Amino acid sequence: MLDAEKEKVCWLWLQQALGAGSAKPDRIAERFGTASAFYEAGPTEWRLTGWFTPKEAIRLEQETPEKALAMLEYCRSVGQTVLTPCDAAYPEALRQIPAKPCALYIKGDLPDVDRQLAIAVVGTRHATRDGLEISFNFGYQLASSGAIIVSGGAKGIDTQVHKGAVQAGGKTICVLGCGIDYAYLMENASLREAIAQAGAVISEYPVNTPPSKGNFPIRNRLISGLCAGVLVVEAASKSGSLITAHTALEQNRDVFAVPCGLNNPVSQGVNNLIKCGAKAVTGVQDILEEYAARFPEVSARLGCASATPVPVHEPSLRPVPRQASPAVPAASASPLSEEARRVWECLPATPCTLGEIEEETGLPVARLLAALTELELHGQVSSYSGRRYGRA
């Protein structure tokens, strides 16, 4: 095995032995220089450091480089990339944070967050109608302005900001709290496919790791760590989004928040952030102006960003009646793109698979997913299990 490959495998071995979020690999790198040098030092030397719990000491011996190599080869066989701190492509932004990940599992092409502005947008899973609209608008407008959009792929705010970035044709990164191959939130499976086409779906958890409550706070440090700033849209007083905001401050990242009306059930978290010094924003310019000097391309596009502020007002909590889908939206009246109209017209009365729609429309998967996302946002299409779609 070549030295570079051996070092990569040893980082994967550390990740499997110590788990995601451990700060001990930082100490290992500082004292031993490389992961492979630590492995070669052997169990006696590991114990003499006094760093490891009995359980960790056992796992360091039970997990092996052979198992790590098998994981690496599996990922390569399914077209996934694995980055470790020994790789030149490993984001410098993550090298700078405490407890940097030993491994990043990547589906898609990870955008260059070191040279391009990256903004995280996070918020509650239980968003109001206005919160969903606001997050979609920020995702769309920031991506249209050239920013990379980072979020966690969860229901609510995360889903809408990813959809906005994809529909804008921008770059977005979804950071999961489970393995990439795990069947997580399957109603968003097609959205994750579109994200992988427009950027990357990433995780520091091995490919089939199930989600757990403990995974997501650990994951959140990567969302903030990849970015120059974090925007919070709707968060209750104990929202996980506040963990991301606090981690951002610890990592010397900027924190922004969209003000909420006092009667909004998910207002307390963001309003408290503003009271504690987060910048209140009502439009993309409020964010982009902070980075005009650091990212010259942002300065060039600042005037091109939508001048219309994202709506910030007290949401109506009355249920909104579902509107019936029109037969075929008139081209002159519909805001849909031509490809979205083409997909809609090809959909049969009963739900069909993504492959069947691809065959019927002749569209590449990336453009087909973007069109389906657009149709979902306009209430024309519903998604079903098994990556099936039908007219709403």
Side-chain angles (χ1 to χ4, degrees):
M1 187 185 300
L2 296 176
D3 288 347
E5 185 83 344
K6 180 179 180 181
E7 182 66 13
K8 191 182 189 79
V9 167
C10 285
W11 276 108
L12 280 176
W13 163 70
L14 277 178
Q15 196 277 339
Q16 294 177 353
L18 299 178
S22 173
K24 292 175 183 177
D26 291 347
R27 300 171 72 180
I28 289 170
E30 183 177 352
R31 176 164 171 178
F32 291 86
T34 64
S36 57
F38 173 74
Y39 174 73
E40 290 169 354
T44 300
E45 186 69 22
W46 304 343
R47 290 188 176 91
L48 287 175
T49 64
W51 294 343
F52 305 106
T53 66
K55 183 177 179 180
E56 288 172 336
I58 292 171
R59 286 187 61 82
L60 283 167
E61 295 190 53
Q62 287 181 339
E63 297 295 334
T64 65
E66 289 74 22
K67 290 182 182 179
L69 179 60
M71 174 65 72
L72 180 60
E73 291 176 343
Y74 167 79
C75 291
R76 287 171 174 168
S77 72
V78 295
Q80 295 175 12
T81 303
V82 181
L83 290 181
T84 68
C86 68
D87 293 306
Y90 187 93
E92 189 63 30
L94 293 184
R95 293 186 196 276
Q96 299 170 358
I97 68 172
K100 63 179 175 288
C102 294
L104 287 177
Y105 301 88
I106 301 167
K107 182 176 182 179
D109 294 316
L110 185 64
D112 190 351
V113 297
D114 295 326
R115 292 177 177 81
Q116 295 175 260
L117 175 63
I119 298 292
V121 184
V122 296
T124 181
R125 289 172 169 81
H126 308 291
T128 67
R129 182 179 60 183
D130 283 348
L132 297 176
E133 179 184 351
I134 288 168
S135 55
F136 176 87
N137 286 344
F138 267 111
Y140 187 97
Q141 294 173 17
L142 285 167
S144 297
S145 300
I148 300 165
I149 305 302
V150 182
S151 197
K155 292 181 180 180
I157 298 299
D158 290 11
T159 292
Q160 291 302 108
V161 73
H162 284 308
K163 285 182 176 180
V166 169
Q167 189 163 324
K171 296 178 181 179
T172 182
I173 301 172
C174 173
V175 187
L176 293 176
C178 60
I180 290 177
D181 287 355
Y182 191 83
Y184 166 70
L185 193 62
M186 291 311 292
E187 58 261 46
N188 273 2
S190 61
L191 176 61
R192 290 194 294 273
E193 291 291 338
I195 292 169
Q197 295 287 336
V201 177
I202 73 172
S203 177
E204 69 175 312
Y205 294 96
V207 289
N208 288 312
T209 304
S212 71
K213 288 184 178 180
N215 289 4
F216 292 97
I218 294 172
R219 177 277 311 266
N220 290 351
R221 82 192 194 288
L222 302 189
I223 294 178
S224 56
L226 287 165
C227 299
V230 174
L231 171 66
V232 182
V233 182
E234 292 193 334
S237 59
K238 296 183 179 180
S239 171
S241 304
L242 302 184
I243 297 175
T244 309
H246 294 150
T247 303
L249 292 173
E250 293 171 358
Q251 296 168 341
N252 199 29
R253 271 50 170 178
D254 300 315
V255 177
F256 307 93
V258 177
C260 281
L262 295 178
N263 293 329
N264 186 322
V266 283
S267 66
Q268 188 173 353
V270 289
N271 290 341
N272 285 342
L273 282 176
I274 293 169
K275 287 196 296 183
C276 292
K279 181 177 179 179
V281 300
T282 57
V284 292
Q285 278 95 343
D286 294 334
I287 297 174
L288 297 182
E289 67 188 12
E290 298 292 327
Y291 304 105
R294 182 175 167 189
F295 298 95
E297 70 279 6
V298 169
S299 179
R301 295 194 186 199
L302 184 57
C304 301
S306 172
T308 304
V310 175
V312 181
H313 53 80
E314 181 64 19
S316 168
L317 299 182
R318 296 189 300 273
V320 180
R322 179 181 293 273
Q323 295 180 350
S325 299
V328 178
S332 60
S334 173
L336 298 176
S337 66
E338 285 300 317
E339 287 189 348
R341 284 175 48 78
R342 176 177 167 187
V343 171
W344 195 93
E345 291 169 357
C346 289
L347 285 175
T350 57
C352 56
T353 66
L354 186 66
E356 291 169 335
I357 304 170
E358 181 184 6
E359 183 176 351
E360 184 68 23
T361 61
L363 290 173
V365 172
R367 286 158 56 190
L368 175 57
L369 290 168
L372 287 166
T373 299
E374 182 181 351
L375 287 163
E376 283 191 82
L377 292 170
H378 285 89
Q380 299 292 335
V381 162
S382 295
S383 58
Y384 302 87
S385 60
R387 300 182 72 190
R388 295 177 301 128
Y389 298 85
R391 292 185 179 182

